[in-house]
Amino acid sequence: MAKETGIGMTVTIDDSGGSGRAITNDVTNVDWSIPRTVQDTTGLDKTGMERLLLLADMSGTISGVFNDASNMSHDVFKTVCSTSVSRTLVIVVSGQTLTNEVFVTDYPLTRGSDGTLTFAVPVVLQSGTVPTWA
């Protein structure tokens, strides 16, 4: 196993109709987290923390440059405010694939003072399925 970069990573996400769209060309940054919650079960008789490992979660942000070409980022995200559908998000890096059913909770656009037009779309786990790399 060798150390690697994220170069060559791909990001695909469903549009509101359920068709997966490869928007990698529009994405400038993607971050995600796959935390587990814990329950504090420390009794009064303990001098150190005692915990139980609970549910898994997934959340992240897909950031990029506005592109209103057919089947690209704006086409995918413009329906966030008018549809209530889950979307399949697939992140692939170095042959490793993370696939999750997510809700896209916002489509914020930012117009910078230099003229840039960017987005930073938050996603959260929807399905109750434990996020697993394949």
Side-chain angles (χ1 to χ4, degrees):
M1 177 71 67
K3 295 178 182 179
E4 298 183 37
T5 69
I7 296 172
M9 175 181 284
T10 61
V11 177
T12 304
I13 190 165
D14 288 356
D15 60 19
S16 62
S19 296
R21 304 296 181 192
I23 63 167
T24 307
N25 184 61
D26 298 345
V27 176
T28 58
N29 186 64
V30 60
D31 67 77
W32 64 94
S33 178
I34 309 172
R36 297 285 304 261
T37 55
V38 294
Q39 179 182 0
D40 180 357
T41 60
T42 308
L44 295 177
D45 61 335
K46 299 291 191 261
T47 57
M49 297 300 294
E50 185 178 25
R51 297 182 176 98
L52 294 174
L53 196 56
L54 301 175
L55 298 175
D57 198 1
M58 185 273 186
S59 63
T61 304
I62 303 167
S63 302
V65 178
F66 182 86
N67 181 352
D68 63 356
S70 181
N71 298 325
M72 295 308 288
S73 58
H74 181 67
D75 229 13
V76 169
F77 298 129
K78 68 183 181 183
T79 57
V80 167
C81 63
S82 60
T83 59
S84 298
V85 297
S86 67
R87 299 165 188 247
T88 304
L89 171 63
V90 181
I91 299 170
V92 179
V93 61
S94 182
Q96 305 300 310
T97 304
L98 181 63
T99 303
N100 290 289
E101 289 300 311
V102 299
F103 283 131
V104 178
T105 60
D106 196 4
Y107 178 40
L109 292 166
T110 301
R111 196 281 190 178
S113 61
D114 60 356
T116 56
L117 185 58
T118 60
F119 62 85
V121 174
V123 297
V124 294
L125 187 66
Q126 175 275 332
S127 64
T129 302
V130 174
T132 305
W133 284 95

